[in-house]
Amino acid sequence: MTILLSNDDAQTLLTMSDCVSVLQQTYAAAHAGTAINGRRSDMVGPTSRADRSYVLKMMGAVQPDLKVGAVRINSDLFSWVSEGAQRRRVKVPAAPGDRWVGLVLLFSTETGEPLAIFPDGVVQRMRVGATSGIAVQLLARPEADVLAILGTGWQAEAQVMAAAAVRPLREIRCFSPNAERRAAFAARMQALLDIATIACESAVDAVRGADIVLCATNSSSHVLDATMLTPGMHIGTIRDREIAPAAIARADLVVVHDRDNLTGQHVEIAHGAVFEEKRKELGQDARTSALVSAPSLAELVGGSVVGRQRPEDITCFLNYHGIGLQFAALGALLHAKAKEQGRGHHLPTEWFTEDVHS
């Protein structure tokens, strides 16, 4: 049977600690060459509205030790809006019912059959958070216990959860421009994690004295600059441009998520479409252009790259873009837990298989 799962199922079944653990296994397999990550493809086309673009995004992977292959597909509409000095990308909920469209198809490498179909939303958030968590675990000082998070949205929650899963945090500071949102975020995180959480009035206030600084915003402008860094920090980002090039250049060690995802060559844009993020700042700025050959997270997990060497080192993790292996790994975890706990809707597998072949 093929299991149809929901975001609610994923929210119930997946824990951050489990996600960190299975992704460590995945990056080790990638380093060993036994797991295969497919190249990402973003195809951008125009729509009937001049202020929107359509993006069909695909990525896939095969992880033989988990006996799965996976394909993640997003069918998105994007617009770009200005808020004060910042310009941000907005994913428009244009599907019926004001909804978004993102699906993961999980397959068996033993039979080829589809094992599960599920939305990518909760899994997307967990894979981003858990990946940052692995970097915190391997790069932050062992005694690091004060976290600053810049951004107070859905992804920021996962970044905090991941840091708390790998370090015994005693204090969390958060900042975003909206005072009401950051206050609500602080209350939510403190209730969830039972860790003192402070809503700060500026990014500088949040970062001052922090051991770990993570950025999780939808800003196209820098939110962390070099003047805010101090020796011994670990810094991380989930988006190009969140950390200023000068701040990245100050780091003693920079690790990237996946080198193939750094420069934006996976984006193909049709004539007439607008897509403002094709060219990545990382590859354009002389201070960071060399990072296209920086060590990857898989190399760090696999042991071929040495992590932090001194307490005063500043370390940096650039968690740019997803890779198919994350969805294969968390998909395998989600499928196993769903079977154990009887979650999801079971569909006849013959609906998705055929008795002819090309």
Side-chain angles (χ1 to χ4, degrees), residues 2-7 10 57 59-61 68-75 101-107 114-124 127 323-332 334-335:
T2 302
I3 305 178
L4 181 65
L5 296 161
S6 67
N7 276 322
K57 176 170 65 180
M59 61 182 74
V68 298
V71 178
R72 181 225 191 168
I73 305 168
N74 291 90
S75 178
V101 181
L103 293 171
V104 179
L105 311 179
L106 187 73
F107 300 93
L115 297 173
I117 303 170
F118 52 91
D120 73 337
V122 169
V123 170
Q124 149 79 352
R127 68 94 189 162
I323 59 174
L325 276 170
Q326 296 169 310
F327 294 94
L330 296 197
L334 178 60
H335 178 254

Side-chain angles (χ1 to χ4, degrees), residues 208-335:
R208 187 183 295 114
D211 304 306
I212 303 163
V213 182
L214 301 178
C215 305
T217 74
N218 58 6
S219 173
S220 297
S221 305
H222 305 139
V223 297
L224 182 67
D225 62 48
T227 63
M228 299 159 70
L229 305 188
T230 57
M233 273 184 176
H234 169 71
I235 62 176
T237 175
I238 64 172
R239 282 174 60 83
D240 183 55
R241 299 181 189 272
E242 284 189 316
I243 301 181
I248 297 173
R250 263 199 74 185
D252 298 282
L253 173 64
V254 179
V255 175
V256 301
H257 183 202
D258 181 81
R259 282 188 290 272
D260 286 341
N261 275 341
L262 286 179
T263 55
Q265 287 95 338
H266 58 271
V267 179
E268 299 294 334
I269 303 177
H271 180 71
V274 176
F275 196 70
E276 298 183 13
E277 300 182 6
K278 182 178 180 181
R279 294 184 62 80
K280 299 298 181 184
E281 182 176 62
L282 188 73
Q284 297 180 68
D285 193 288
R287 292 165 292 185
T288 56
S289 58
L291 293 178
V292 295
S293 59
S296 70
L297 184 63
E299 291 165 339
L300 182 66
V301 172
S304 62
V305 169
V306 177
R308 173 181 294 275
Q309 298 190 54
R310 302 175 301 165
E312 64 269 26
D313 283 350
I314 296 174
T315 58
C316 176
F317 178 54
L318 306 180
N319 189 3
Y320 296 165
H321 294 305
I323 59 174
L325 276 170
Q326 296 169 310
F327 294 94
L330 296 197
L333 176 64
L334 178 60
H335 178 254

Side-chain angles (χ1 to χ4, degrees), residues 146-151 171-176 182 198-214 223-224 228 233:
V146 177
L147 168 70
I149 179 74
L150 303 184
E171 185 175 283
I172 299 163
R173 292 95 164 267
C174 66
F175 171 75
S176 66
R182 65 181 181 250
I198 302 167
C200 299
E201 294 188 2
S202 70
V204 171
D205 289 340
V207 170
R208 187 183 295 114
D211 304 306
I212 303 163
V213 182
L214 301 178
V223 297
L224 182 67
M228 299 159 70
M233 273 184 176

